[in-house]
Amino acid sequence: MASSAIPVSRSASSDETGRARTALQALNFFMADMQAGIGPFLGVFLQQRGWTAGPIGTVMSAGGVAGMVMTVPAGAFIDHTEKKRLVVIVTGICTVMASFLILLSQSGWVVTVSQVATAIAGAAIGPAVTGMTLGVVRQRGFNAQNGRNQAWNHAGNMIGAGLSGFLGWKFGMPAIFYLAAAFGVLAIVSVLMIPERAIDHRAARGLEGDKEDDADGGGQAEGFKTLLRNKPMLILAAALACFHLGNGAMLPLYSLAVVGAGKGNAALFTATTVVVAQAVMIAAALIAMKMSAGKGYWLVLLISFAALPLRGFLAGTFIEHWGVWPVQALDGIGAGLQSVAVPGLVACLLDGTGRVNVGQGAVMTIQGLGASLSPAIGGWIAQAFGYHAAFLILGSFALVSLALWIGFAGLLRPACEGKRAENKA
């Protein structure tokens, strides 16, 4: 494929940059519910219609695999295109339309197609927003802006889940789909408020200054090579894969366990699980932003990995309505810290390569391998051995993440601190 060099965008005014930063935060707020939408409620929605834990986990995994396969091509496309705002608009529309398919039919193939389409759209929207952020604030300001973005994203998830729970309780589960559509429209409005001039598309892919774009236009292949040559990134990807192999199924399974035992209203309890986690994630994202600027990313990720074994133990011990508070608070700590540390570390490791978004996609692909398998593994373990055993087994997968992160600390710590001074913006 021939290369098409991305020209440096015209300099944006400080007012345009300021508006772009504010619009990015609004976009992250509204895209949260647009992306998640029915996701956290899908398990109980299908359970109410006669589905069992195994098939529910399988269709969720199908979507995860589709998203995993598309992350690197999506990252390569984002590196090369100047139409990043259009990508967000198109994927937002596709996500909402795919979710509405489930309202029309709950047959196996319809639900699977919906989950696959949603996952593919999600694979593109994440790198697009990351790329736009890097293009607006550059490497020096990325840690701080990404931290704010993630805090707003978690706030959007929390408020969206709260509204979903109320609307689902008051008007029935289908109301949740309409809420997701409304958030999708507001996300599209937000991205249109980002001035195109404010996005430097060379900086968005990790190329700043006067360095010319490389002659290789492959993008995707170069992304894999960059990943394979970068040992800290390989270790990061492996640790994340193990973490998400255990973490991915925890929320839907805990909802199924408690609701199935008759200890909570389906819509309200599922909303509570999301609200508690996202509330903690807001604080965790802001703390991660400060910790990363002062101490680097290694300690931030170490704490995030340590949260899952404890979460699995508590979930397996207390399948009660009140258990949502400690179980989901730990989810908020782990996911909230990673939402800031992982994109920041990847952008740091690939700064100057021109392949930042391919690298983000490559790490997400390995990470997604664990996340996509988790619902199927967790669902069938729960069906065969019960929910208690499933939570304990899922939580133990993060022990491998901890072993990798501590065992290679000598290599990882310097890499995680390489851009610490720059990220104090």
Side-chain angles (χ1 to χ4, degrees):
M1 182 174 66
S3 173
S4 56
I6 294 180
V8 179
S9 63
R10 293 173 293 169
S11 297
S13 66
S14 59
D15 180 63
E16 287 175 322
T17 300
R19 283 193 287 121
R21 292 168 70 126
T22 301
L24 279 168
Q25 292 167 185
L27 171 60
N28 275 271
F29 180 91
F30 291 116
M31 71 180 256
D33 193 70
M34 180 185 71
Q35 282 181 297
I38 189 65
F41 299 86
L42 179 61
V44 293
F45 178 78
L46 295 176
Q47 186 184 49
Q48 290 177 345
R49 284 150 180 81
W51 287 54
T52 57
I56 291 173
T58 299
V59 296
M60 288 182 173
S61 285
V65 170
M68 177 189 69
V69 170
M70 290 301 297
T71 48
V72 170
F77 178 72
I78 295 301
D79 272 338
H80 282 275
T81 185
E82 295 185 47
K83 305 297 183 181
K84 296 177 178 62
R85 298 190 309 165
L86 182 60
V87 169
V88 176
I89 293 170
V90 172
T91 55
I93 293 172
C94 291
T95 300
V96 173
M97 291 179 63
S99 294
F100 273 115
L101 280 176
I102 305 177
L103 276 181
L104 300 177
S105 171
Q106 293 83 52
S107 67
W109 73 269
V110 170
V111 175
T112 301
V113 168
S114 171
Q115 290 302 290
V116 169
T118 300
I120 292 174
I125 197 172
V129 174
T130 299
M132 286 192 294
T133 301
L134 191 56
V136 170
V137 301
R138 315 300 195 274
Q139 182 70 229
R140 181 175 293 276
F142 183 76
N143 179 63
Q145 183 63 38
N146 184 53
R148 297 185 191 101
N149 286 355
Q150 295 303 324
W152 280 99
N153 186 267
H154 297 317
N157 265 314
M158 180 182 69
I159 293 175
L163 289 173
S164 295
F166 172 76
L167 293 174
W169 167 71
K170 188 76 173 177
F171 303 105
M173 296 291 281
I176 298 170
F177 294 93
Y178 294 101
L179 178 67
F183 269 63
V185 172
L186 293 172
I188 291 172
V189 172
S190 299
V191 77
L192 290 173
M193 292 174 62
I194 300 174
E196 180 59 39
R197 277 167 46 99
I199 304 173
D200 183 332
H201 293 284
R202 285 176 57 80
R205 64 186 301 184
L207 286 174
E208 296 185 41
D210 299 325
K211 185 168 70 174
E212 293 297 324
D213 194 8
D214 56 358
D216 174 20
Q220 179 180 346
E222 179 65 15
F224 280 118
K225 292 177 183 177
T226 300
L227 175 63
L228 293 173
R229 286 197 301 263
N230 194 309
K231 291 183 179 179
M233 190 174 294
L234 283 173
I235 299 168
L236 171 67
L240 288 170
C242 294
F243 176 88
H244 286 280
L245 184 63
N247 192 67
M250 200 76 74
L251 170 57
L253 278 182
Y254 199 69
S255 296
L256 290 176
V258 175
V259 173
K263 298 179 179 179
N265 172 269
L268 286 178
F269 180 79
T270 304
T272 303
T273 64
V274 179
V275 169
V276 172
Q278 296 296 331
V280 175
M281 286 180 199
I282 297 172
L286 295 174
I287 291 171
M289 179 180 72
K290 297 295 185 183
M291 286 181 63
S292 300
K295 299 180 180 299
Y297 295 110
W298 185 84
L299 180 60
V300 176
L301 288 166
L302 178 69
I303 296 171
S304 77
F305 294 143
L308 183 57
L310 180 57
R311 185 184 181 213
F313 173 77
L314 291 176
T317 304
F318 305 106
I319 299 181
E320 302 287 345
H321 187 277
W322 60 264
V324 65
W325 296 95
V327 169
Q328 289 305 98
L330 287 167
D331 182 38
I333 292 172
L337 295 177
Q338 287 183 17
S339 69
V340 173
V342 173
L345 180 54
V346 173
C348 170
L349 292 173
L350 294 179
D351 186 30
T353 66
R355 297 291 185 251
V356 168
N357 293 296
V358 175
Q360 298 278 6
V363 170
M364 288 172 62
T365 298
I366 306 302
Q367 168 184 316
L369 179 62
S372 63
L373 293 175
S374 184
I377 293 174
W380 289 112
I381 290 176
Q383 190 161 312
F385 303 105
Y387 288 110
H388 293 280
F391 293 129
L392 294 174
I393 293 171
L394 290 172
S396 69
F397 291 147
L399 296 176
V400 180
S401 303
L402 285 169
L404 287 170
W405 208 245
I406 295 172
F408 290 96
L411 174 66
L412 293 167
R413 292 185 76 119
C416 291
E417 296 174 0
K419 294 289 181 180
R420 185 175 59 186
E422 288 189 7
N423 284 328
K424 289 184 178 180

